[in-house]
Structure formats: structure tokens, C-alpha cells
Amino acid sequence: MWFSELFKGMSPASFFNFSFLPKYGNFFLQGLGYTLLLAIVSVLLAVLPALMLAIMRLSKNKVVKGIAGAYIAAFRSTPLLVQLSIIYFGLFGAITIPRITILGFLDISRFIPGVVALALNSSAYVAEIFRAGILAVDIGQTEAARSLGLNGFQSMRLIVLPQAIKNVLPALANEIVTMVKESSICMTLGMSELMFAAKNVATTTYISIAPYVVAAIIYFCINYPASKAIEAIERRMRRGDKH
């Protein structure tokens, strides 16, 4: 193939030796799919626990507030790798998950622990996003709801939360972008995401740098356009609020 001939004369140690792509390009595509699934599913699973944590943090009950604060502090103050290892070897070491492969590359026995660890970690950060969104809603909105006869729960569900969620949508999208990068830590436990694919190709081909360059380019092509799109959405939302 002409593509192979293009890279034939390059040294295996070359920084830009991409001669492995025709043969191993599929590894990167599978790794990309795994990475995107990890990121999106983890953040989606984190939303509901995060919302509960945010409401608990705003509670007047000191015990409820303390539990939520302790959870958030624990997950935000310890490395994700430590959390992933504890959940994978501890919690899921005692739970047997069938080794089922779907889509040809997704090993459920590894994917589920990875998603759980990432979701628990993400929920601590998303909780603070929700809390900031709730606090950003004018207190007059709650007072108006109460004057109409709504109780505290109804005011939060019908008046405050819809406005808060609208305010935090760009931040939630940004959390997915962040999770795309953080999911790379799952390679340490043998999950076949993008960095795991790069490592396997580097090990198999003895081309030590270029596979990681390819992984970096793929991450950039996902995250940079997504970040710019989020910025555009934020600008439109700000203009909409002014009107």
C-alpha cells in the first residue's frame, strides 16, 4: 500500500514514524470508543448522586451537610488512581462480574468497575457544580414560590432546579471533556481505552514514541473542538440571559 511505502524509510525510533497505523489503526479506534464510553457513561451516572449531594450540602441539618461534605472532601482530596484501585481490587474483588465482551472490545468485567470509580469521583466535582448553580439562582425566586403556596421541596424541584440546571449545562459538558482525559488512568488496570491501545502498539512494534503522539492527537481532536463548542454555548446563554 502507498501508505506503508510513505513511512518505509523512517527509523523505528523516529518521533514521527507512523508506519504502524495501517496495521494497528483499529486498536486506536477501539480505544477511542472505549474512552468515550467511559467518559460519557461515568458523567451521566454521576449526575443524580451529585444532585443529591449538592442538596445535602445546602441542608440546614448539620449531619446531612457533614456527610455530603465528607464524601466530597474524600473524593476530591485523594488521587483518582487510589480510588480506582480500591474500588477495582476491593469492592469488585468481592463481586464476580461475568467476563462478557460486547462490541468486540468492551470487557464488562473491567468496564463496570472503571465506570463506577470514575462516576463516584466525578459526582464529587459535579456536586459542587450543582451547588454553585443552585446558589446562583436569585433567592427571590424561592420566596416567590413559597408565597404561591409551594413547600421547600416543590420550590426546589419546580423553580430552582430547572434554572440551576440550565446554568450548569456548560460546566457539565466541560466535566465530560475532563473525564475523557482522566479516563486514561484506567489503562493501569488493563482497560482497553486509548492510552492502553497506544501502550500495546508501542510494545508490539518497538516504536516507543509515535503511538503516544497518535493518542495525544486523538485526545486533542476530541477535547479542543468540544471546549470551543462549550465556550460558544456559554456565550449564547449569556446573551440569552441579557435579553
Side-chain angles (χ1 to χ4, degrees):
M1 292 175 65
W2 70 269
F3 195 78
S4 300
E5 292 296 321
L6 182 64
F7 299 106
K8 195 179 221 180
M10 290 189 176
S11 165
S14 172
F15 194 87
F16 297 106
N17 179 10
F18 302 121
S19 57
F20 56 86
L21 282 176
K23 185 175 181 180
Y24 296 102
N26 193 49
F27 281 34
F28 290 96
L29 291 177
Q30 290 182 354
L32 172 61
Y34 203 111
T35 295
L36 291 176
L37 279 172
L38 271 174
I40 294 170
V41 174
S42 298
V43 173
L44 290 178
L45 288 178
V47 168
L48 187 57
L51 187 55
M52 293 174 60
L53 287 166
I55 294 172
M56 289 169 67
R57 283 270 283 159
L58 296 170
S59 173
K60 294 179 181 178
N61 187 307
K62 290 184 178 181
V63 175
V64 172
K65 187 175 182 178
I67 292 172
Y71 177 95
I72 292 170
F75 278 90
R76 293 185 69 180
S77 303
T78 55
L80 178 55
L81 179 58
V82 173
Q83 298 164 21
L84 180 63
S85 300
I86 291 172
I87 290 168
Y88 185 81
F89 294 110
L91 176 61
F92 285 93
I95 300 173
T96 302
I97 301 176
R99 293 184 64 87
I100 300 172
T101 301
I102 60 175
L103 303 176
F105 64 92
L106 198 65
D107 183 355
I108 294 298
S109 66
R110 295 180 185 273
F111 182 76
I112 291 177
V115 163
V116 169
L118 293 174
L120 290 175
N121 177 272
S122 181
S123 65
Y125 292 90
V126 176
E128 292 298 274
I129 293 172
F130 276 128
R131 187 170 72 92
I134 292 170
L135 291 174
V137 177
D138 195 297
I139 190 66
Q141 299 283 332
T142 303
E143 292 171 352
R146 299 302 293 271
S147 69
L148 292 172
L150 299 179
N151 59 34
F153 175 76
Q154 291 171 327
S155 299
M156 178 64 71
R157 183 171 64 89
L158 299 174
I159 306 298
V160 177
L161 280 182
Q163 296 181 67
I165 289 172
K166 177 189 172 185
N167 292 337
V168 303
L169 279 177
L172 284 178
N174 196 58
E175 178 64 16
I176 294 178
V177 172
T178 300
M179 193 55 65
V180 167
K181 294 180 290 184
E182 291 189 346
S183 65
S184 62
I185 202 151
C186 291
M187 70 164 287
T188 59
L189 299 180
M191 299 180 198
S192 54
E193 45 72 63
L194 193 52
M195 279 298 294
F196 185 81
K199 181 183 178 182
N200 272 357
V201 172
T203 303
T204 303
T205 62
Y206 300 102
I207 301 174
S208 58
I209 300 175
Y212 296 104
V213 173
V214 172
I217 292 170
I218 294 173
Y219 279 121
F220 181 85
C221 290
I222 298 169
N223 292 327
Y224 185 76
S227 299
K228 290 300 178 183
I230 293 166
E231 289 175 9
I233 293 169
E234 287 177 330
R235 286 195 297 270
R236 290 196 63 178
M237 289 179 68
R238 284 197 294 268
R239 285 199 297 267
D241 290 340
K242 288 178 183 177
H243 295 301

